[in-house]
């Protein structure tokens, strides 16, 4: 049921993206905002559901396999979207995107993060699948299973590795590139998922753990917002 739910989300987002391109060609800013919002919504909604399947047996093989599979699916179905505020900073820094357009995309990403969380909460209340039972009562899942400083360093390092890889594989055929990026993300989740969740995406982190940001805002903003953003700026400085 969870897999069918995520497949339905992917199909619905694909239809919305296609309709947006057709109907809003004459409104480029609105079109850009909606495309980025729909794309980020897909990733946040599916990842929220995947987190409920992380304890499925056999562990961790099931969770890692689903992570790889859906990362490939996102890469194939969401071309042209970054879905990550840190990724949006790159063209802004290089002059390829104006500050206004970049801010519009980042705003769309965080709006999508909130909408995805609200939407998934609504579905979890329906208890359509076994993992949904009790999902709403979990509160802050506390993904940080290490010290704040170590968590900061892990998210910083993972952000640098991920963004550097994305830059290095830009010239590769998109059909193969999505598999390389999906493999990297799966490896990072395997390496640090039990310590920080290995998110390195500020919008996704906010969608997955909004209660944690509410309870420990400064700690979680430092680890899941500032660390990946700082990693991106370090990458700009070096390259």
């Amino acid at each position: 049921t969870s897999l069918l739910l995520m497949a339905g989300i992917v199909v619905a987002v694909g239809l919305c993206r296609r309709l947006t391109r057709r109907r809003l060609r004459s409104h480029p800013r609105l079109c850009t905002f909606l495309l980025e919002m729909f794309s980020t919504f897909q990733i946040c909604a599916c990842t929220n559901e995947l987190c409920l399947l992380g304890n499925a047996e056999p562990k961790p093989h099931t969770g890692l396999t689903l992570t790889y599979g859906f990362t490939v699916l996102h890469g194939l179905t969401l071309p042209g979207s970054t879905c990550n505020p840190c990724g949006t900073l790159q063209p802004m820094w290089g002059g390829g995107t104006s500050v206004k357009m970049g801010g519009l995309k980042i705003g769309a990403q965080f709006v999508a993060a909130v909408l995805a969380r609200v939407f998934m909460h609504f579905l979890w209340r329906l208890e359509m699948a076994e993992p949904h039972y009790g999902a709403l009562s979990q509160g802050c899942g506390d993904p940080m299973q290490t010290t704040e400083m170590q968590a900061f360093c892990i998210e910083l390092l993972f952000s640098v590795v991920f963004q550097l890889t994305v830059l290095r594989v830009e010239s590769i055929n998109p059909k193969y590139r999505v598999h390389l990026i999906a493999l990297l993300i799966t490896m990072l989740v395997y390496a640090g998922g039990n310590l920080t969740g290995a998110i390195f995406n500020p919008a996704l982190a906010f969608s997955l753990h909004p209660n944690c940001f509410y309870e420990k805002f400064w700690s979680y903003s430092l680890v899941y917002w500032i660390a990946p953003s700082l990693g991106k700026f370090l990458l700009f400085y070096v390259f």
Side-chain angles (χ1 to χ4, degrees):
T1 303
S2 291
L3 294 179
L4 290 175
L5 173 61
M6 289 187 285
I9 292 172
V10 172
V11 172
V13 168
L15 293 176
C16 290
R17 281 168 54 87
R18 180 174 298 182
L19 183 63
T20 299
R21 287 196 180 97
R22 288 182 178 180
R23 300 291 184 180
L24 298 175
R25 290 180 179 177
S26 58
H27 301 82
R29 289 186 179 179
L30 180 59
C31 182
T32 298
F33 179 88
L34 290 177
L35 288 176
E36 193 67 29
M37 186 186 73
F38 288 136
S39 301
T40 309
F41 177 89
Q42 175 178 314
I43 290 180
C44 291
C46 290
T47 307
N48 269 281
E49 187 70 16
L50 280 175
C51 287
L52 298 182
L53 303 177
N55 294 323
E57 296 293 343
K59 296 190 295 186
H61 306 85
T62 301
L64 293 175
T65 301
L66 291 174
T67 298
Y68 176 83
F70 273 91
T71 303
V72 172
L73 184 61
H74 295 325
L76 293 175
T77 58
L78 303 175
S81 298
T82 57
C83 309
N84 187 338
C86 296
T88 306
L89 292 174
Q90 177 184 341
M92 289 176 60
W93 184 271
T97 300
S98 65
V99 175
K100 184 179 293 185
M101 186 62 71
L104 187 70
K105 289 184 176 182
I106 293 176
Q109 291 158 2
F110 277 98
V111 169
V114 174
L115 291 177
R117 186 67 176 183
V118 172
F119 177 72
M120 296 309 297
H121 272 214
F122 170 76
L123 293 181
W124 292 346
R125 287 191 182 94
L126 301 179
E127 297 184 342
M128 296 185 297
E130 183 178 350
H132 297 174
Y133 302 148
L136 296 176
S137 61
Q138 293 178 0
C140 175
D142 198 12
M144 280 197 291
Q145 299 298 316
T146 182
T147 65
E148 185 177 303
M149 182 55 64
Q150 288 178 336
F152 177 87
C153 294
I154 290 172
E155 288 294 313
L156 173 66
L157 175 62
F158 283 5
S159 177
V160 170
V161 171
F162 175 73
Q163 298 295 340
L164 179 60
T165 303
V166 170
L167 290 175
R168 292 302 184 185
V169 300
E170 282 184 343
S171 59
I172 299 178
N173 188 309
K175 294 181 179 180
Y176 304 115
R177 183 168 65 231
V178 293
H179 289 278
L180 291 175
I181 294 176
L183 180 60
L184 172 65
I185 291 176
T186 305
M187 292 172 61
L188 294 178
V189 170
Y190 177 73
N194 62 324
L195 298 175
T196 65
I199 302 174
F200 47 89
N201 182 333
L204 178 58
F206 186 67
S207 183
L208 294 177
H209 308 291
N211 293 327
C212 298
F213 281 92
Y214 176 75
E215 296 174 7
K216 304 175 182 177
F217 177 79
W218 293 114
S219 296
Y220 277 79
S221 61
L222 177 67
V223 173
Y224 294 105
W225 288 355
I226 297 177
S229 300
L230 180 59
K232 189 64 178 179
F233 283 112
L234 287 176
L235 196 63
F236 287 148
Y237 180 77
V238 175
F239 295 93

